[in-house]
Amino acid sequence: MVVMTRWLNPDEQRTWRAFLTASRALMDTLDRELQRDAGMPHAYYEILVRLSEAPGRQLRMSDLAEAAGSSRSRLSHAVARLETAGWVRREECPTDRRGQVAVLTDDGFATLAAAAPGHVEGVRRHLFDALSPAQIDQLRGISETLAEHLTGS
């Protein structure tokens, strides 16, 4: 059976390229600002946020990788860097001797608290200030639909 390629029509192509350009530009801009203002990439900020929101400010490494949308090896490397900075520490998992738990330290929480206002302002300035309330509603609906489609949740 021969499967025909479903090429994008001109409107779909234009939409796809606009989406790619906008999402890359937004994430690159936010990443640069976090690097400049807080000395960390957005991926590290996301790890600190996920830990700050978890009970006891800690998560199993596997759960943290999933929450942060990262591979386990990439997360392990990032956590090693965050450990060196004194923002995260690893502990043995009390329920699984093979597992580890990442714990947000007080210094890590203070670093996150210092970085958050500038980051939130960047998100507001680069994303929400450019959109009308109706566009924000549309963006949320589209994003939730895509997330559900891609993650099954």
Side-chain angles (χ1 to χ4, degrees):
M1 179 169 120
V2 176
V3 177
M4 298 294 295
T5 301
R6 298 180 337 148
W7 297 107
L8 301 179
N9 68 39
D11 283 342
E12 291 168 333
Q13 185 69 255
R14 197 170 122 226
T15 301
W16 170 241
R17 289 188 180 177
F19 172 78
L20 282 179
T21 300
S23 28
R24 284 180 184 156
L26 175 62
M27 296 312 293
D28 288 349
T29 298
L30 294 173
D31 192 64
R32 274 194 311 276
E33 288 177 352
L34 273 169
Q35 284 279 22
R36 180 193 68 214
D37 299 339
M40 75 177 87
H42 193 266
Y44 293 7
Y45 181 86
E46 180 69 18
I47 291 167
L48 298 181
V49 166
R50 296 297 179 158
L51 290 172
S52 77
E53 294 172 342
R57 298 191 323 204
Q58 59 184 307
L59 283 170
R60 284 181 54 107
M61 291 287 285
S62 57
D63 294 337
L64 180 56
E66 184 178 326
S70 179
S71 69
R72 289 182 185 189
S73 63
R74 182 172 289 175
L75 178 79
S76 183
H77 178 72
V79 168
R81 296 263 177 130
L82 294 170
E83 281 181 297
T84 300
W87 299 342
V88 171
R89 73 175 180 275
R90 285 187 236 211
E91 296 178 354
E92 297 304 314
C93 180
T95 59
D96 178 2
R97 285 189 244 190
R98 294 174 301 163
Q100 289 189 318
V101 174
V103 181
L104 182 64
T105 65
D106 290 341
D107 284 348
F109 188 79
T111 298
L112 176 62
H119 178 62
V120 170
E121 179 56 36
V123 170
R124 177 166 301 290
R125 185 173 58 252
H126 303 306
L127 179 62
F128 294 109
D129 288 352
L131 302 174
S132 70
Q135 289 173 315
I136 292 169
D137 288 343
Q138 292 168 342
L139 179 61
R140 181 180 51 255
I142 291 166
S143 298
E144 288 171 351
T145 298
L146 289 173
E148 183 176 321
H149 173 71
L150 296 169
T151 64
S153 57

